[in-house]
Each structure stands twice: as C-alpha cells, then as structure tokens.
C-alpha cells in the first residue's frame, strides 16, 4: 500500500485497514490532493491481499466538511482542472462500488461532499446520533451530482431524497437511520468502535462469499449508473455558470446565497 498525503492509513485489527481523512484544522475538508486520493485508494485496497475489510472515518470529531473552496474556485476558472476533478468524482463513486473488499464508514460530526459520497456508498454505514449529513450542492449553485442520484433514492426513497437534496436539509444520524440512509446509528462516542467491530466480523467471514454478495447487491447501484453519470455532468456544467460564484461568495461570507 503506497503512502498518501491527506489520508492516514493503519491497521485497526488483523485484516482491517483503517483509512482516516486527515485535515483536522478544516474539519477534514477535501482539497485537490485529498480528492484525488479518495478516488485512487480503493484500487490499492482491492489489490492488497492483506486487506479483508476497511473502515473509513474522519480525523477527530468530523467526517468531512466537504470540498475545499479553493478547489471549487479553480474548477470554475480552469476547464482542465474541471475535467480532471470530474473524472475523479466519477472514480470515487465507481471505485468504492467496485472495490471487492467490504467497506464500513464511521460517520461522526459533519459529513458533506466527496467525503459524504464515500460514507453513504460504504457497504455498512455507522452514524453517530448527532452526526450532520448534508448534501449542499444546490446551496452552492450546482446540481446534486457527486453521488446523490445513484444512492439516495435507493436508500431512502425518492420523496425523501428530493426533500433533502433540493433544500440541502440536514439529516442527523438518528434521522438517517430512521429513513434508511445509513445502516446503523449509535451514540457518538461509540461510532468508531462499532465500525471496527463490524469490520472485524466481516474480515473473519468468508472473503469469497462476502465479495460476491457485495458485487451482486451493488448491481442495484450499477443500474442507476446512467442517472449518476448524467447528474455528474449536470453538476460540472454548473461550475461554468453564474450561480456557483454567488454560492462560493456566500459560503466565504457565512451568509445565505442570493441567486438571481
């Protein structure tokens, strides 16, 4: 397993690889480097015979506060950057989906953006009661594209998906469990231990049976692949328009956006 700059890697238990999104000064916001690494690491995990299960979490008490604003501004300015990040965003989703090893996410604090994509696409997701799951795309001024179309309607139904994705309405860990958006909700101080416990159980099972069951079940997500691809294209089309500029200004100024 190669070294990563914005992802810390260690062994949580025998056969259980722990991936930690590490930018604690900014609630584990994902910059250019972190975004690329979140796309790449799942191929390395898949090829490593020592890995039987994975836990992914954020450093400290946050999972991830979403995309770094400097990255977003560079995407707005430069077509090459926009296309590169577009490819990475696609790879984050498909590489998690196609990784043969079972993935468990430990969701604590805010979970937004690319980090949220990994958290909800994990095979088993464990959320703290006060976790705040937010898909903030429409507030930013772009379509909800980086994972929402492929997984939210399947997990929580189209009516709930529309309510939360159109309005950027936050979801707590308790609400997420009740609506089927996450697998399990536990007390905040138990999130990481519970995720590791589940990963250890997965690592101790039949690797072949678990791998093939994951592949089979993820065919439901593959069926939604064309919708996801279209949604991602619509999101990145938005990075060329005027609304995202106001969305970024509003975030920097900590105020609600005013779209024309």
């Amino acid at each position: 397993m190669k070294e990563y700059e914005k992802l810390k890697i260690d062994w949580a238990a025998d056969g259980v690889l722990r991936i930690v999104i590490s930018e604690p000064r900014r609630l584990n916001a994902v910059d250019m480097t972190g975004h690329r690494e979140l796309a790449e690491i799942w191929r390395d995990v898949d090829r490593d015979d020592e890995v039987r299960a994975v836990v992914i979490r954020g450093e400290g008490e946050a999972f991830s506060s979403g995309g770094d604003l400097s990255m977003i501004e560079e995407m707005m300015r430069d077509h090459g950057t926009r296309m590169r990040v577009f490819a990475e965003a696609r790879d984050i989703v498909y590489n998690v989906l196609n990784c043969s090893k079972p993935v468990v996410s430990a969701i604590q604090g805010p979970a937004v953006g690319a980090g949220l994509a990994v958290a909800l696409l994990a095979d088993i997701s464990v959320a703290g009661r006060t976790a705040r799951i937010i898909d903030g795309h429409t507030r930013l001024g772009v379509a909800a594209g980086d994972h929402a179309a492929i997984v939210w309607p399947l997990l929580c139904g189209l009516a709930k998906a529309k309510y939360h994705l159109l309005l950027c309405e936050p979801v707590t860990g308790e609400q997420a469990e009740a609506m089927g958006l996450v697998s399990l909700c536990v007390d905040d101080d138990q999130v990481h231990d519970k995720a590791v416990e589940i990963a250890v159980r997965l690592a101790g099972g039949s690797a072949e049976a678990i791998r093939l069951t994951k592949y089979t079940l993820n065919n439901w997500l593959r069926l939604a692949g064309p919708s996801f691809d279209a949604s991602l294209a619509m999101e990145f089309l938005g990075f060329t328009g005027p609304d995202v500029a106001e969305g970024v200004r509003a975030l920097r100024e900590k105020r609600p956006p005013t779209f024309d």
Side-chain angles (χ1 to χ4, degrees):
M1 185 75 65
K2 70 181 183 183
E3 291 187 2
Y4 287 85
E5 183 179 337
K6 296 301 176 75
L7 302 176
K8 292 182 178 179
I9 300 171
D10 69 349
W11 294 100
D14 185 30
V16 177
L17 187 76
R18 178 164 44 207
I19 302 169
V20 181
I21 304 171
S22 180
E23 192 64 70
R25 293 172 299 177
R26 296 183 299 135
L27 297 176
N28 304 319
V30 176
D31 61 8
M32 288 285 193
T33 301
H35 197 265
R36 184 185 70 250
E37 292 180 349
L38 274 178
E40 292 176 350
I41 193 167
W42 307 105
R43 294 192 183 103
D44 289 341
V45 166
D46 201 48
R47 288 189 292 259
D48 192 328
D49 292 336
E50 293 185 28
V51 179
R52 293 175 63 89
V54 179
V55 170
I56 183 161
R57 56 166 292 187
E59 187 165 348
E61 296 183 355
F63 192 86
S64 175
S65 60
D68 178 77
L69 290 181
S70 297
M71 178 178 74
I72 293 171
E73 289 168 334
E74 181 64 22
M75 290 163 55
M76 293 161 56
R77 288 190 296 265
D78 182 69
H79 178 71
T81 300
R82 193 160 52 246
M83 292 306 295
R84 186 177 72 250
V85 177
F86 172 84
E88 292 169 1
R90 181 191 60 218
D91 286 348
I92 287 173
V93 168
Y94 285 124
N95 288 350
V96 173
L97 192 157
N98 291 324
C99 177
S100 63
K101 313 298 174 65
V103 179
V104 182
S105 60
I107 309 169
Q108 192 172 16
V112 188
L116 177 60
V118 174
L120 295 185
L121 285 164
D123 303 299
I124 297 176
S125 47
V126 181
R129 298 194 187 282
T130 66
R132 282 176 61 80
I133 295 170
I134 307 170
D135 190 296
H137 283 82
T138 60
R139 179 185 171 92
L140 181 63
V142 296
D146 71 358
H147 75 286
I150 199 170
V151 72
W152 281 65
L154 186 61
L155 293 178
C156 65
L158 191 58
K160 285 290 189 183
K162 285 182 177 180
Y163 176 72
H164 290 282
L165 297 174
L166 295 177
L167 293 172
C168 301
E169 187 71 15
V171 185
T172 67
E174 282 190 315
Q175 291 169 330
E177 183 188 42
M179 60 196 272
L181 194 62
V182 300
S183 308
L184 190 65
C185 174
V186 298
D187 291 338
D188 291 343
D189 60 358
Q190 298 176 10
V191 172
H192 303 127
D193 289 344
K194 189 64 177 179
V196 171
E197 174 193 321
I198 291 169
V200 167
R201 290 174 60 191
L202 289 166
S206 165
E208 182 175 284
I210 290 170
R211 179 176 69 248
L212 295 178
T213 299
K214 170 177 177 169
Y215 183 89
T216 303
L217 291 173
N218 276 353
N219 279 328
W220 288 102
L221 295 172
R222 293 183 184 93
L223 288 172
S227 294
F228 164 66
D229 293 341
S231 74
L232 194 63
M234 291 175 187
E235 175 189 355
F236 276 74
L237 177 64
F239 286 114
T240 68
D243 281 359
V244 69
E246 165 58 13
V248 169
R249 281 195 299 269
L251 283 171
R252 287 202 178 280
E253 296 168 9
K254 295 180 171 56
R255 60 171 175 83
T258 303
F259 296 118
D260 185 359

